[in-house]
């Protein structure tokens, strides 16, 4: 089973930046997005 150090809920700018920073420092991160399209900026749609 794959294990992660962190789970980012939502692929908005907040989730993606957090996930990218954690990954940059060696953490295993998964980003979970409820919408079919990632980075959709739900505030706009
Ligand atoms: C009309 C409008 C214009 C704007 N213009 C600008 C601008 O010009 N410049 C600027 O810098 N900012 C602008 N903003 C603000 C900017 O859009 C937001 O501040 C920014 O998108 C917030 O990012 P976020 O990651 O917090 O949330 P979001 O971008 O909303 O991302 C959240 C993500 O989480 C997902 N999600 C939600 N619940 C769940 C769940 N339970 N499980 C999994 N996934 C989930 C959503 O589908 C979404 O993809 C604007 C906002 C609005 C409304």
């Amino acid at each position: 089973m794959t294990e992660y150090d962190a789970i980012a809920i939502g692929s908005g700018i907040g989730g993606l930046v957090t996930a990218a920073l954690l990954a940059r420092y060696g953490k295993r991160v998964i980003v979970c997005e409820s919408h079919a399209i990632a980075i959709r900026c739900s505030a706009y749609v």
Side-chain angles (χ1 to χ4, degrees):
M1 176 190 288
T2 303
E3 294 185 1
Y4 299 98
D5 297 308
I7 304 171
I9 306 298
S11 65
I13 190 67
L16 287 181
V17 168
T18 301
L21 281 171
L22 288 170
R24 174 67 180 82
Y25 288 99
K27 301 300 182 184
R28 292 167 297 180
V29 187
I30 184 172
V31 178
C32 297
E33 170 57 56
S34 62
H35 195 266
I37 303 171
I39 327 172
R40 68 175 179 137
C41 287
S42 63
Y44 294 93
V45 182

